[in-house]
Amino acid sequence: MRKLLLGALVALLSGGAASGATILINGVPVSKLYVDSEGRLYLTPGPGRKPVEISIPKNAVSPSTPVVTSDRKLKVGGTAYIHWDYDTENSKEHNAFKITRNYVELRGYFNGKDYFRTTLDVKQSDAVDNGSYVVRLKYAYVYFHRVLPHTGVELGLVHRPWIDWEEHHAWFHRDLEETLIENKRGAHLMNSADLGADFKGHYGIASWEFGLFNGEGYHGEEESSHFGKSVEARLSLNLFRNFWLSGHTAHNFDYKGLGMDRHIYQVHAVYNGPYFLVAGQYIWDKDHYYSAPDVKQRGYSFNADLKLRPFTGVPAGLLARYDHWDPNTDRSNDVKKHYVAGVYYRLNHHVKLTVADDRLIAGSNSGMSDANTVMAVAEVKW
């Protein structure tokens, strides 16, 4: 009880009494405290009890300085991509409003740096009720900020070393398309999350990330035999101001139970300055089949942003990207050429609006058809 009374006194001193506010202690509304001749505090008046005179010196308590603090914090946020897409390749001129992604993120902090994160991924599925939106788990991991020198670790359903890094340093338009290595119109070699352990850190000009994962990705069941895991790593060097040079590799053994090992190598460079961004990458992949000929894949991508704010004062820009992917270097007429171009406007810190054209020119042996989509997109972060 004494602790409750002391807590009430602190709350009142922090401004509750001065503003005439009422607080609850064990469900009892309290706006004043009382003291007896021996200095004991009471919630209610009584014989021999006098009201406590509380005076707060001017500016003694700053509104920005908490009187009572706690290490436990909860952070809630999310991101949504709201589309209107017009398919110009379709003879019926199909168009539709859609939500391509709706991420909801919850973090519970143990202290200022360690936390548990859960992220839900909402997307439309043709397999459920003829196009219902379904919820699946994207991330669910515990993060410890220092388990090795300058290195923390995610354990659970975690990031993989490459895609998240590229989306935060070189390709800022995930609301339009995924990166080359993930996109179905491009390489489609891996996705961004998986079950496993992901170590990440930085020191000086270097940033690194490496880990061990199931290899099937966050929407695939573990189907591998024997070791059947994926070993992946990234090293990025900030060689000079605004310029990063990166290398990335992934070795996925018994990939999805398909009787093959997948070996990916990548180099990437990006310059992100005050006036423009330009980035480029080259990816090699070798799928080593146990009882069939190996398949070699190659491709590259370039993307750029021209930032208009320095020239016009308007928070807008122009974007362009070109992907070139050959899914089998021993087969002809299978190259996929993917173009994206558009203009974006940042309405505020939370909303970006984009109009873009997304075009695929697919080789006759690529297993895909030509496509062209005009998009009007709102990216919302909260």
Side-chain angles (χ1 to χ4, degrees):
M1 189 63 180
R2 183 183 295 263
K3 292 182 178 180
L4 288 173
L5 291 172
L6 289 175
L9 182 59
V10 169
L12 290 169
L13 283 171
S14 67
S19 62
T22 299
I23 63 173
L24 295 178
I25 299 180
N26 286 343
V28 178
V30 177
S31 58
K32 291 183 180 180
L33 295 176
Y34 302 86
V35 64
D36 64 12
S37 59
E38 297 183 5
R40 289 175 293 199
L41 290 171
Y42 297 88
L43 299 177
T44 58
R49 301 176 188 176
K50 297 180 180 180
V52 176
E53 181 178 342
I54 301 174
S55 60
I56 304 175
K58 188 176 182 180
N59 298 328
V61 179
S62 170
S64 62
T65 304
V67 176
V68 180
T69 61
S70 172
D71 287 335
R72 297 181 180 179
K73 297 179 181 178
L74 193 64
K75 179 182 178 181
V76 182
T79 302
Y81 306 143
I82 304 170
H83 276 237
W84 177 75
D85 292 352
Y86 177 50
D87 182 5
T88 62
E89 286 288 331
N90 191 310
S91 60
K92 296 181 181 180
E93 298 187 350
H94 175 73
N95 72 90
F97 290 99
K98 60 181 72 174
I99 296 176
T100 59
R101 279 295 189 274
N102 181 36
Y103 299 109
V104 179
E105 178 182 333
L106 178 66
R107 294 192 190 193
Y109 284 82
F110 313 136
N111 50 51
K113 297 181 178 180
D114 301 331
Y115 57 86
F116 186 86
R117 171 180 174 175
T118 297
T119 299
L120 302 179
D121 177 12
V122 181
K123 63 166 293 190
Q124 194 169 28
S125 173
D126 294 335
V128 179
D129 294 334
N130 195 30
S132 289
Y133 283 87
V134 298
V135 180
R136 60 184 178 180
L137 199 59
K138 178 66 180 284
Y139 298 111
Y141 61 81
V142 60
Y143 174 75
F144 298 107
H145 77 282
R146 180 157 295 185
V147 295
L148 295 172
H150 309 288
T151 303
V153 64
E154 299 174 1
L155 299 173
L157 185 53
V158 302
H159 292 93
R160 299 171 87 167
W162 179 252
I163 295 174
D164 185 70
W165 190 91
E166 184 178 354
E167 290 179 350
H168 285 82
H169 290 80
W171 177 244
F172 294 98
H173 307 289
R174 173 62 183 82
D175 52 322
L176 301 180
E177 282 288 8
E178 298 134 329
T179 61
L180 169 65
I181 202 169
E182 183 180 16
N183 196 338
K184 291 182 179 179
R185 294 185 172 189
H188 195 48
L189 297 175
M190 62 167 52
N191 55 38
S192 57
D194 203 348
L195 287 157
D198 182 50
F199 296 83
K200 57 177 62 178
H202 59 87
Y203 181 76
I205 67 168
S207 165
W208 57 85
E209 197 166 345
F210 58 91
L212 181 66
F213 313 91
N214 276 350
E216 277 71 15
Y218 70 101
H219 45 72
E221 184 179 0
E222 172 62 55
E223 299 180 10
S224 303
S225 302
H226 308 295
F227 176 66
K229 294 293 179 284
S230 183
V231 181
E232 304 174 17
R234 171 189 60 81
L235 176 63
S236 303
L237 300 176
N238 189 193
L239 295 180
F240 55 87
R241 187 176 181 182
N242 301 322
F243 178 80
W244 287 89
L245 179 65
S246 300
H248 165 247
T249 188
H251 302 275
N252 201 332
F253 298 95
D254 194 17
Y255 177 66
K256 293 189 175 182
L258 297 178
M260 62 97 159
D261 299 335
R262 171 162 285 176
H263 302 283
I264 302 170
Y265 304 90
Q266 176 181 190
V267 292
H268 182 278
V270 57
Y271 173 80
N272 185 9
Y275 303 107
F276 64 89
L277 175 152
V278 61
Q281 64 192 135
Y282 194 94
I283 301 175
W284 303 262
D285 172 69
K286 179 180 179 180
D287 292 342
H288 173 63
Y289 283 87
Y290 307 149
S291 56
D294 293 349
V295 174
K296 298 178 182 179
Q297 306 186 62
R298 301 285 187 273
Y300 56 89
S301 176
F302 296 100
N303 67 272
D305 284 18
L306 176 62
K307 305 173 184 180
L308 298 181
R309 184 192 285 269
F311 307 104
T312 66
V314 178
L318 305 176
L319 68 98
R321 172 173 144 185
Y322 173 67
D323 299 344
H324 183 102
W325 188 252
D326 184 351
N328 189 334
T329 58
D330 295 326
R331 186 172 60 195
S332 60
N333 300 320
D334 62 350
V335 171
K336 294 181 285 186
K337 300 177 181 180
H338 184 203
Y339 305 83
V340 182
V343 57
Y344 62 89
Y345 175 79
R346 297 193 179 277
L347 186 63
N348 52 46
H349 181 68
H350 300 284
V351 180
K352 181 184 73 171
L353 306 176
T354 306
V355 176
D357 184 69
D358 188 321
R359 181 168 182 78
L360 173 67
I361 299 176
S364 57
N365 290 329
S366 67
M368 302 187 73
S369 302
D370 291 355
N372 192 77
T373 304
V374 177
M375 303 176 177
V377 183
E379 178 190 73
V380 183
K381 295 184 177 182
W382 55 274

